[in-house]
Amino acid sequence: MSEEDVLNPPRGMRDLTGVDAELHEYMVELFKETARRNGFKPIITPTVEYFRLFEKKSGEEIKRSMYVFQDKAGRTLALRPEVTASVVRAYLKEMRSQPKPIRLYYVAQCFRYEEPQKARYREFWQGGLEIIGDPDINADVSAAFTASNFLEELGVKHYYVVGNVATYRVIMDRIGIPEETQDLVLHLIDKDRVGEALQVLRDKTSREDVVELFRRLLNSGIDEALSVIMDFKGLGEGYSIIESELAKTREFIELLNQVGFNAAYEPKLVRGLAYYTGLIFEYKTSGGLSVSIGGGGRYDGLTRVYGGEYEYSTGLALGLDRIMLLLDPGKILPSKTTVLISILEGVPLKAGYELVRRIRVKGVEVIPYRARSLSKALSLANKINAGLVVIIGRREYESGSITVKNMITGEQKYIGLNDINAFLDYIKGAGTQQPQDDAG
């Protein structure tokens, strides 16, 4: 490997620096704040898990795209491709006795070995919400509503595409199609390979009526779907299950529309994760991205896959990297004032840091800088767009004062350190002024 290769991150991964890093950090903090405000508590799970945790129910595509390796003891591990499975594992290990519903949020890096392209990376960030122990549609709405609040605060216009996999799973259960084949059929529908999905059904059942039922359902609105189902014979109690699931789906859509969000039914939406059991949805945007910026749904009973008791669960994840592509940092990032504390030669560093400790003003960043001359300090201040330069030379140090230069107006003030409040008020006032693009 050449030195040039060493300086590049692995394909599909990237460095975030400068304003991109600031925007990422801002989004992470805003997501956490929004989740906490809506009653969610943090959970942090390992980046590395046992492969079998994801092998059980993540879906064929994700299993094929996982980063899998063996540790020095020969254990098969994986970089997490998503976080829900880890949350369920942690719930079973640590949280079963907690009062339900349990409302959790996370921000985490995930990894999938996929072909990199716009809005698709091999290392990516997710902001997620999970609710365990609540069968009511309110849990789904609460998680979705919280995520929409976050997107609204960022100014990201979005709409919902809503489906329900229970309709298809119930039918396939009743005619004896094994779960592995069900997952394949749904995977093909998710990839818009409907013809292949119908052929799998035809090969497995030899029942053209089932194939025709699927074809009709995949082209029916939510109000038509139940009548289409009623035309099919032999589902038994499956009718009432499907009727209940479609009613929940309709209620979810209506609720979101009633509170100001645009949501619509899409029968072909099944999503790529095999653990979904009912209502599912995705967040779409008209901001130039054809892919979804997030999604989620019901995964009732996933706890049982890992040896626990049956538990109702729902959740979602937003793709923070994709959302970043829709944002203008200049409009999103809060304004700040940079104060450069210039400690000139002959002055102890202690004098500068004593001042740094006293400047605790929201929206103000303070940078201590030892300068050989005032001109070098002012030159640096210009380069970093500092709004204020605090000069501590020998004269200021010996007299217990500071000189403050406003880099926007050119004004200079001498302030005694015994009047620190006047200095802090001056900083706050300077924060309302906009720095010039090309200072100096």
Coordinates of all heavy atoms in Angstrom, one line a residue, residues 221-306:
G221 N -55.3 0.0 -3.2 CA -55.3 1.0 -2.1 C -55.7 0.4 -0.8 O -56.2 -0.8 -0.8
I222 N -55.6 1.1 0.3 CA -55.9 0.5 1.6 C -57.3 0.2 1.7 O -57.7 -0.8 2.4 CB -55.4 1.4 2.7 CG1 -55.4 0.6 4.1 CG2 -56.2 2.7 2.8 CD1 -54.7 1.3 5.2
D223 N -58.2 1.0 1.1 CA -59.7 0.7 1.2 C -60.1 -0.5 0.4 O -61.1 -1.1 0.7 CB -60.4 1.9 0.8 CG -60.2 3.1 1.8 OD1 -60.1 2.8 3.0 OD2 -60.2 4.3 1.4
E224 N -59.3 -0.8 -0.7 CA -59.7 -1.9 -1.6 C -59.1 -3.2 -1.0 O -59.6 -4.3 -1.3 CB -59.1 -1.7 -2.9 CG -59.5 -0.4 -3.7 CD -58.6 -0.2 -4.9 OE1 -58.8 -0.9 -5.9 OE2 -57.7 0.7 -4.8
A225 N -58.0 -3.1 -0.2 CA -57.3 -4.3 0.1 C -58.1 -5.4 0.9 O -58.1 -6.6 0.6 CB -56.1 -4.0 1.0
L226 N -59.0 -4.9 1.8 CA -59.8 -5.9 2.6 C -60.8 -6.6 1.7 O -61.0 -7.8 1.8 CB -60.5 -5.1 3.7 CG -61.1 -6.1 4.8 CD1 -60.0 -6.9 5.4 CD2 -61.8 -5.3 5.8
S227 N -61.4 -5.9 0.7 CA -62.4 -6.6 -0.2 C -61.7 -7.6 -1.1 O -62.2 -8.6 -1.4 CB -63.1 -5.5 -1.0 OG -62.3 -4.8 -1.8
V228 N -60.4 -7.2 -1.4 CA -59.6 -8.2 -2.2 C -59.4 -9.4 -1.4 O -59.5 -10.6 -1.9 CB -58.3 -7.5 -2.7 CG1 -57.3 -8.6 -3.3 CG2 -58.5 -6.4 -3.7
I229 N -59.0 -9.3 -0.1 CA -58.8 -10.4 0.8 C -60.0 -11.2 0.9 O -60.0 -12.5 0.9 CB -58.3 -9.9 2.2 CG1 -56.9 -9.3 2.1 CG2 -58.4 -11.0 3.2 CD1 -55.8 -10.3 1.8
M230 N -61.2 -10.6 1.1 CA -62.4 -11.3 1.3 C -62.8 -12.2 0.1 O -63.5 -13.2 0.3 CB -63.6 -10.3 1.5 CG -63.4 -9.5 2.8 SD -63.3 -10.5 4.3 CE -65.0 -11.1 4.5
D231 N -62.3 -11.9 -1.1 CA -62.5 -12.8 -2.2 C -61.7 -14.1 -2.2 O -62.0 -15.0 -2.9 CB -62.2 -12.0 -3.5 CG -63.1 -10.9 -3.8 OD1 -64.2 -10.9 -3.2 OD2 -62.7 -10.0 -4.6
F232 N -60.7 -14.1 -1.3 CA -59.8 -15.3 -1.2 C -60.4 -16.2 -0.1 O -60.6 -15.8 1.0 CB -58.4 -14.8 -0.9 CG -57.4 -15.9 -0.9 CD1 -57.0 -16.5 -2.1 CD2 -56.9 -16.4 0.3 CE1 -56.0 -17.5 -2.1 CE2 -56.0 -17.4 0.3 CZ -55.5 -18.0 -0.9
K233 N -60.5 -17.5 -0.4 CA -61.0 -18.4 0.6 C -59.9 -19.2 1.3 O -58.8 -19.4 0.8 CB -61.9 -19.5 -0.1 CG -63.0 -18.8 -1.0 CD -63.9 -17.9 -0.2 CE -65.0 -17.3 -1.1 NZ -65.8 -16.3 -0.3
G234 N -60.2 -19.5 2.6 CA -59.3 -20.4 3.3 C -58.4 -19.7 4.3 O -57.4 -20.4 4.8
L235 N -58.6 -18.5 4.6 CA -57.7 -17.8 5.6 C -58.1 -18.0 7.0 O -57.3 -17.7 7.9 CB -57.6 -16.3 5.2 CG -56.8 -15.9 4.0 CD1 -56.7 -14.4 3.8 CD2 -55.3 -16.5 4.1
G236 N -59.3 -18.4 7.3 CA -59.8 -18.6 8.6 C -59.7 -17.3 9.4 O -60.1 -16.3 9.0
E237 N -59.1 -17.5 10.6 CA -58.9 -16.3 11.5 C -58.0 -15.3 10.9 O -57.9 -14.1 11.4 CB -58.4 -16.7 12.9 CG -57.0 -17.3 12.9 CD -56.6 -17.7 14.3 OE1 -57.4 -17.8 15.2 OE2 -55.3 -18.0 14.4
G238 N -57.3 -15.6 9.9 CA -56.4 -14.7 9.2 C -57.1 -13.4 8.7 O -56.6 -12.3 8.6
Y239 N -58.4 -13.6 8.4 CA -59.2 -12.4 7.9 C -59.2 -11.3 9.0 O -59.0 -10.1 8.7 CB -60.6 -12.8 7.6 CG -60.8 -13.6 6.4 CD1 -61.2 -15.0 6.4 CD2 -60.5 -13.1 5.1 CE1 -61.4 -15.7 5.3 CE2 -60.6 -13.9 4.0 CZ -61.0 -15.2 4.0 OH -61.2 -15.9 2.9
S240 N -59.5 -11.7 10.3 CA -59.6 -10.7 11.3 C -58.3 -10.1 11.7 O -58.2 -8.9 12.0 CB -60.2 -11.4 12.6 OG -59.4 -12.5 13.1
I241 N -57.2 -10.9 11.5 CA -55.9 -10.3 11.8 C -55.5 -9.3 10.7 O -55.1 -8.2 11.1 CB -54.8 -11.4 11.7 CG1 -55.0 -12.4 12.9 CG2 -53.4 -10.8 11.8 CD1 -54.1 -13.7 12.8
I242 N -55.8 -9.6 9.5 CA -55.5 -8.6 8.4 C -56.4 -7.4 8.5 O -56.0 -6.3 8.3 CB -55.7 -9.3 7.0 CG1 -54.6 -10.4 6.8 CG2 -55.7 -8.3 5.9 CD1 -54.8 -11.2 5.6
E243 N -57.7 -7.6 8.9 CA -58.6 -6.5 9.0 C -58.1 -5.6 10.1 O -58.1 -4.3 10.0 CB -60.0 -7.0 9.4 CG -61.0 -5.9 9.5 CD -62.4 -6.5 9.8 OE1 -62.5 -7.6 10.3 OE2 -63.4 -5.8 9.5
S244 N -57.6 -6.2 11.2 CA -57.1 -5.3 12.4 C -55.8 -4.6 11.9 O -55.7 -3.4 12.3 CB -56.8 -6.3 13.5 OG -56.1 -5.5 14.6
E245 N -55.0 -5.2 11.2 CA -53.7 -4.6 10.8 C -54.0 -3.4 9.8 O -53.4 -2.4 9.9 CB -52.8 -5.6 10.1 CG -52.1 -6.6 11.1 CD -51.2 -5.9 12.0 OE1 -50.6 -4.8 11.7 OE2 -51.0 -6.4 13.2
L246 N -54.9 -3.7 8.9 CA -55.2 -2.6 7.9 C -55.9 -1.4 8.6 O -55.7 -0.3 8.3 CB -56.1 -3.1 6.8 CG -55.4 -4.1 5.8 CD1 -56.5 -4.7 4.8 CD2 -54.3 -3.4 5.0
A247 N -56.7 -1.7 9.7 CA -57.3 -0.6 10.4 C -56.3 0.2 11.2 O -56.4 1.4 11.2 CB -58.3 -1.2 11.4
K248 N -55.3 -0.5 11.7 CA -54.2 0.2 12.4 C -53.4 1.1 11.4 O -53.0 2.2 11.7 CB -53.2 -0.8 13.0 CG -53.8 -1.5 14.3 CD -52.7 -2.5 14.8 CE -53.3 -3.3 15.9 NZ -52.3 -4.4 16.3
T249 N -53.2 0.5 10.2 CA -52.5 1.3 9.2 C -53.2 2.5 8.8 O -52.6 3.6 8.7 CB -52.2 0.4 8.0 OG1 -51.6 -0.8 8.4 CG2 -51.3 1.1 6.9
R250 N -54.5 2.4 8.6 CA -55.4 3.5 8.2 C -55.3 4.6 9.3 O -55.2 5.8 9.1 CB -56.8 3.1 8.0 CG -57.7 4.2 7.4 CD -59.1 3.8 7.3 NE -59.3 2.8 6.2 CZ -59.5 1.5 6.3 NH1 -59.6 1.0 7.6 NH2 -59.7 0.8 5.3
E251 N -55.4 4.1 10.6 CA -55.4 5.1 11.7 C -54.1 5.8 11.8 O -54.0 7.0 12.1 CB -55.7 4.3 13.0 CG -55.8 5.2 14.2 CD -56.1 4.5 15.5 OE1 -56.1 3.2 15.5 OE2 -56.2 5.2 16.6
F252 N -53.0 5.1 11.6 CA -51.7 5.7 11.6 C -51.6 6.8 10.5 O -51.1 7.9 10.8 CB -50.6 4.6 11.3 CG -49.2 5.1 11.3 CD1 -48.5 5.3 12.5 CD2 -48.5 5.3 10.1 CE1 -47.2 5.7 12.4 CE2 -47.2 5.7 10.0 CZ -46.5 5.9 11.2
I253 N -52.0 6.5 9.3 CA -52.0 7.5 8.2 C -52.9 8.7 8.5 O -52.5 9.8 8.4 CB -52.4 6.8 6.9 CG1 -51.4 5.8 6.5 CG2 -52.7 7.8 5.8 CD1 -51.8 4.9 5.3
E254 N -54.1 8.4 9.0 CA -55.0 9.5 9.3 C -54.5 10.4 10.4 O -54.6 11.6 10.3 CB -56.4 8.9 9.7 CG -57.1 8.3 8.5 CD -58.4 7.6 8.9 OE1 -58.7 7.5 10.1 OE2 -59.2 7.2 8.0
L255 N -53.9 9.8 11.5 CA -53.4 10.6 12.6 C -52.3 11.5 12.1 O -52.2 12.7 12.5 CB -52.9 9.7 13.7 CG -53.9 9.3 14.8 CD1 -53.3 8.1 15.6 CD2 -54.2 10.5 15.7
L256 N -51.3 11.0 11.3 CA -50.2 11.8 10.8 C -50.8 13.0 10.0 O -50.3 14.1 10.1 CB -49.2 11.0 10.0 CG -48.4 10.0 10.9 CD1 -47.6 9.1 10.0 CD2 -47.5 10.8 11.8
N257 N -51.7 12.7 9.1 CA -52.3 13.7 8.3 C -53.0 14.8 9.1 O -53.0 16.0 8.8 CB -53.3 13.1 7.2 CG -52.5 12.4 6.1 OD1 -51.5 12.9 5.7 ND2 -53.0 11.3 5.6
Q258 N -53.7 14.3 10.2 CA -54.4 15.2 11.1 C -53.5 16.2 11.8 O -53.9 17.3 12.1 CB -55.3 14.4 12.1 CG -56.5 13.8 11.4 CD -57.1 12.7 12.4 OE1 -56.7 12.5 13.5 NE2 -58.1 12.0 11.8
V259 N -52.3 15.8 12.1 CA -51.4 16.7 12.8 C -50.4 17.4 11.9 O -49.4 18.0 12.4 CB -50.6 15.9 13.9 CG1 -51.5 15.3 15.0 CG2 -49.7 14.8 13.3
G260 N -50.7 17.3 10.6 CA -50.0 18.2 9.7 C -48.9 17.5 8.8 O -48.2 18.2 8.1
F261 N -48.8 16.2 8.9 CA -47.8 15.5 8.1 C -48.5 14.8 6.9 O -49.6 14.3 7.1 CB -47.0 14.5 8.9 CG -46.2 15.2 10.0 CD1 -46.6 14.9 11.4 CD2 -45.2 16.1 9.8 CE1 -45.9 15.5 12.4 CE2 -44.5 16.7 10.8 CZ -44.9 16.4 12.1
N262 N -47.8 14.7 5.8 CA -48.4 14.0 4.6 C -48.0 12.5 4.6 O -46.9 12.2 4.6 CB -47.8 14.7 3.4 CG -48.5 14.2 2.1 OD1 -49.4 13.4 2.2 ND2 -48.0 14.6 1.0
A263 N -49.0 11.7 4.7 CA -48.8 10.2 4.7 C -49.7 9.5 3.7 O -50.9 9.9 3.6 CB -49.0 9.7 6.1
A264 N -49.2 8.5 3.0 CA -50.1 7.8 2.1 C -49.7 6.3 2.1 O -48.5 6.0 2.3 CB -49.9 8.4 0.7
Y265 N -50.7 5.5 1.7 CA -50.5 4.0 1.7 C -49.7 3.6 0.4 O -50.0 4.1 -0.7 CB -51.8 3.4 1.8 CG -51.8 1.8 1.8 CD1 -51.2 1.1 2.8 CD2 -52.3 1.1 0.7 CE1 -51.2 -0.2 2.8 CE2 -52.3 -0.3 0.7 CZ -51.7 -0.9 1.7 OH -51.7 -2.3 1.7
E266 N -48.8 2.7 0.6 CA -48.1 2.1 -0.6 C -48.0 0.6 -0.4 O -47.2 0.1 0.4 CB -46.7 2.7 -0.7 CG -45.8 2.0 -1.7 CD -46.4 1.9 -3.1 OE1 -46.7 2.9 -3.8 OE2 -46.7 0.7 -3.4
P267 N -48.8 -0.2 -1.1 CA -48.9 -1.6 -0.9 C -47.6 -2.4 -1.2 O -47.3 -3.4 -0.7 CB -50.0 -2.1 -1.9 CG -50.0 -1.0 -2.9 CD -49.7 0.2 -2.2
K268 N -46.7 -1.8 -2.0 CA -45.4 -2.5 -2.4 C -44.3 -2.2 -1.4 O -43.2 -2.7 -1.5 CB -44.9 -2.0 -3.8 CG -45.8 -2.5 -4.9 CD -45.2 -2.1 -6.3 CE -46.1 -2.6 -7.4 NZ -47.3 -1.8 -7.6
L269 N -44.6 -1.3 -0.4 CA -43.6 -1.1 0.7 C -43.5 -2.2 1.6 O -44.5 -2.5 2.3 CB -43.9 0.2 1.4 CG -42.9 0.6 2.5 CD1 -41.6 1.0 2.0 CD2 -43.5 1.7 3.4
V270 N -42.4 -2.9 1.7 CA -42.2 -4.0 2.7 C -40.9 -3.9 3.5 O -40.8 -4.5 4.5 CB -42.3 -5.4 2.0 CG1 -43.6 -5.7 1.4 CG2 -41.2 -5.5 0.9
R271 N -40.0 -3.0 3.0 CA -38.7 -2.8 3.7 C -37.8 -4.0 3.8 O -38.3 -5.1 3.7 CB -38.9 -2.2 5.1 CG -39.4 -0.7 5.0 CD -39.5 0.0 6.3 NE -38.2 0.1 7.0 CZ -37.2 1.0 6.7 NH1 -37.4 1.8 5.7 NH2 -36.1 1.0 7.4
G272 N -36.5 -3.8 3.9 CA -35.6 -4.9 3.7 C -35.3 -5.7 4.9 O -34.6 -6.8 4.8
L273 N -35.7 -5.3 6.1 CA -35.4 -6.1 7.3 C -36.5 -7.2 7.5 O -37.6 -6.9 7.5 CB -35.3 -5.2 8.5 CG -34.1 -4.2 8.5 CD1 -34.3 -3.1 9.5 CD2 -32.8 -5.0 8.8
A274 N -36.0 -8.4 7.8 CA -36.9 -9.5 7.9 C -37.7 -9.6 9.2 O -38.6 -10.3 9.3 CB -36.1 -10.8 7.7
Y275 N -37.3 -8.7 10.2 CA -38.0 -8.9 11.4 C -39.3 -8.0 11.5 O -40.1 -8.1 12.5 CB -37.1 -8.5 12.6 CG -36.4 -7.2 12.6 CD1 -37.1 -6.0 12.5 CD2 -35.0 -7.1 12.6 CE1 -36.4 -4.8 12.5 CE2 -34.3 -5.9 12.6 CZ -35.0 -4.7 12.5 OH -34.4 -3.5 12.5
Y276 N -39.7 -7.3 10.5 CA -40.9 -6.5 10.5 C -42.1 -7.4 10.5 O -42.1 -8.4 9.7 CB -41.0 -5.5 9.4 CG -40.1 -4.3 9.6 CD1 -39.1 -4.0 8.6 CD2 -40.2 -3.5 10.7 CE1 -38.2 -2.9 8.8 CE2 -39.3 -2.4 10.9 CZ -38.4 -2.1 9.9 OH -37.5 -1.1 10.1
T277 N -43.1 -7.1 11.3 CA -44.3 -8.0 11.4 C -45.6 -7.3 11.0 O -46.6 -8.0 10.9 CB -44.4 -8.5 12.9 OG1 -44.5 -7.3 13.7 CG2 -43.2 -9.3 13.3
G278 N -45.7 -6.0 10.9 CA -46.9 -5.3 10.7 C -46.7 -4.0 10.0 O -46.1 -3.9 8.9
L279 N -47.2 -2.9 10.6 CA -47.1 -1.6 10.1 C -45.6 -1.2 9.8 O -44.8 -1.5 10.6 CB -47.7 -0.6 11.1 CG -47.5 0.9 10.8 CD1 -48.4 1.3 9.7 CD2 -47.7 1.7 12.1
I280 N -45.4 -0.6 8.6 CA -44.0 -0.2 8.3 C -44.2 1.2 7.6 O -45.3 1.5 7.0 CB -43.3 -1.1 7.4 CG1 -44.2 -1.5 6.2 CG2 -42.8 -2.4 8.1 CD1 -43.4 -2.3 5.1
F281 N -43.1 2.0 7.6 CA -43.2 3.3 6.9 C -41.8 3.8 6.6 O -40.8 3.3 7.2 CB -43.9 4.3 7.8 CG -43.3 4.5 9.2 CD1 -42.3 5.4 9.4 CD2 -43.8 3.7 10.2 CE1 -41.8 5.5 10.7 CE2 -43.2 3.8 11.5 CZ -42.2 4.7 11.7
E282 N -41.7 4.7 5.7 CA -40.5 5.3 5.3 C -40.7 6.8 5.2 O -41.8 7.3 4.9 CB -40.0 4.8 4.0 CG -39.4 3.4 4.0 CD -38.7 3.0 2.7 OE1 -38.9 3.6 1.7 OE2 -38.0 1.9 2.8
Y283 N -39.6 7.6 5.5 CA -39.6 9.0 5.3 C -39.0 9.3 3.9 O -37.9 8.9 3.6 CB -38.7 9.7 6.4 CG -39.3 9.5 7.8 CD1 -39.0 8.4 8.6 CD2 -40.1 10.5 8.3 CE1 -39.5 8.3 9.9 CE2 -40.7 10.4 9.6 CZ -40.3 9.3 10.3 OH -40.8 9.2 11.6
K284 N -39.7 10.1 3.1 CA -39.2 10.5 1.8 C -39.2 12.0 1.8 O -39.8 12.7 2.6 CB -40.2 10.0 0.7 CG -40.4 8.5 0.6 CD -39.2 7.9 -0.1 CE -39.4 6.4 -0.4 NZ -38.3 5.9 -1.2
T285 N -38.4 12.6 0.9 CA -38.2 14.0 0.8 C -38.2 14.4 -0.7 O -37.8 13.6 -1.5 CB -37.0 14.5 1.5 OG1 -36.8 15.9 1.3 CG2 -35.7 13.8 0.9
S286 N -38.7 15.6 -1.0 CA -38.6 16.1 -2.3 C -37.4 16.9 -2.5 O -37.2 17.7 -3.5 CB -39.9 16.9 -2.6 OG -40.0 18.0 -1.7
G287 N -36.4 16.8 -1.6 CA -35.2 17.7 -1.7 C -34.1 17.2 -2.5 O -32.9 17.6 -2.3
G288 N -34.4 16.3 -3.5 CA -33.3 15.9 -4.4 C -32.8 14.5 -4.2 O -31.9 14.0 -4.9
L289 N -33.3 13.8 -3.2 CA -32.8 12.4 -2.9 C -34.0 11.4 -3.3 O -35.1 11.6 -2.9 CB -32.5 12.2 -1.4 CG -31.2 12.8 -0.9 CD1 -31.0 12.5 0.6 CD2 -30.0 12.3 -1.7
S290 N -33.6 10.4 -4.1 CA -34.6 9.4 -4.5 C -34.8 8.4 -3.4 O -35.8 7.7 -3.3 CB -34.2 8.8 -5.8 OG -33.0 8.2 -5.7
V291 N -33.8 8.2 -2.6 CA -33.8 7.2 -1.5 C -34.5 7.7 -0.3 O -34.6 9.0 -0.1 CB -32.4 6.7 -1.1 CG1 -31.8 5.9 -2.3 CG2 -31.5 7.9 -0.7
S292 N -35.0 6.9 0.6 CA -35.6 7.3 1.8 C -34.6 7.9 2.8 O -33.4 7.5 2.7 CB -36.4 6.2 2.5 OG -35.5 5.2 2.9
I293 N -35.0 8.7 3.7 CA -34.1 9.3 4.7 C -34.3 8.6 6.0 O -33.7 9.0 7.0 CB -34.2 10.8 4.8 CG1 -35.6 11.2 5.1 CG2 -33.7 11.5 3.5 CD1 -35.8 12.7 5.5
G294 N -35.1 7.6 6.0 CA -35.3 6.9 7.3 C -36.6 6.0 7.2 O -37.3 6.1 6.2
G295 N -36.8 5.2 8.2 CA -38.0 4.4 8.2 C -38.1 3.5 9.4 O -37.1 3.5 10.2
G296 N -39.2 2.8 9.5 CA -39.3 1.9 10.7 C -40.6 1.1 10.6 O -41.2 1.0 9.6
G297 N -41.0 0.6 11.8 CA -42.2 -0.2 11.8 C -42.3 -1.1 13.0 O -41.4 -1.1 13.9
R298 N -43.3 -2.0 13.0 CA -43.5 -3.0 14.0 C -42.6 -4.2 13.9 O -42.5 -4.7 12.8 CB -45.0 -3.5 14.0 CG -45.9 -2.6 14.7 CD -46.0 -2.9 16.1 NE -46.6 -1.8 16.9 CZ -46.6 -1.7 18.2 NH1 -46.2 -2.7 18.9 NH2 -47.1 -0.6 18.8
Y299 N -42.0 -4.6 15.0 CA -41.3 -5.9 15.0 C -41.7 -6.7 16.3 O -40.9 -7.2 17.0 CB -39.8 -5.6 15.0 CG -39.2 -4.7 16.0 CD1 -38.7 -5.2 17.2 CD2 -39.1 -3.3 15.8 CE1 -38.1 -4.4 18.2 CE2 -38.6 -2.5 16.8 CZ -38.1 -3.0 18.0 OH -37.5 -2.2 18.9
D300 N -43.0 -6.8 16.5 CA -43.5 -7.6 17.6 C -43.0 -9.0 17.6 O -42.9 -9.7 16.5 CB -45.1 -7.7 17.5 CG -45.7 -6.3 17.6 OD1 -45.1 -5.4 18.2 OD2 -46.8 -6.1 17.0
G301 N -42.6 -9.5 18.8 CA -42.1 -10.8 18.9 C -40.6 -11.1 18.6 O -40.2 -12.2 18.7
L302 N -39.9 -10.0 18.2 CA -38.5 -10.2 17.9 C -37.7 -10.7 19.2 O -36.8 -11.4 19.1 CB -37.8 -8.9 17.4 CG -36.4 -9.0 17.0 CD1 -36.2 -10.1 15.9 CD2 -35.9 -7.6 16.5
T303 N -38.3 -10.3 20.3 CA -37.7 -10.8 21.6 C -37.7 -12.3 21.7 O -36.8 -12.9 22.2 CB -38.5 -10.2 22.8 OG1 -39.9 -10.4 22.5 CG2 -38.2 -8.8 23.0
R304 N -38.7 -13.0 21.1 CA -38.8 -14.4 21.2 C -37.8 -15.1 20.3 O -37.3 -16.2 20.6 CB -40.2 -14.8 20.7 CG -40.7 -16.2 21.2 CD -42.2 -16.3 21.3 NE -42.8 -16.1 19.9 CZ -44.1 -16.1 19.7 NH1 -44.9 -16.4 20.7 NH2 -44.6 -15.9 18.5
V305 N -37.3 -14.4 19.2 CA -36.3 -15.0 18.4 C -35.0 -15.2 19.2 O -34.2 -16.1 18.9 CB -36.0 -14.0 17.2 CG1 -34.8 -14.5 16.4 CG2 -37.2 -14.0 16.3
Y306 N -34.8 -14.3 20.2 CA -33.5 -14.4 21.0 C -33.8 -15.1 22.4 O -33.0 -14.9 23.3 CB -33.0 -13.0 21.2 CG -32.6 -12.3 19.9 CD1 -33.3 -11.2 19.5 CD2 -31.7 -12.9 19.1 CE1 -33.0 -10.6 18.3 CE2 -31.4 -12.3 17.8 CZ -32.1 -11.1 17.5 OH -31.8 -10.5 16.3

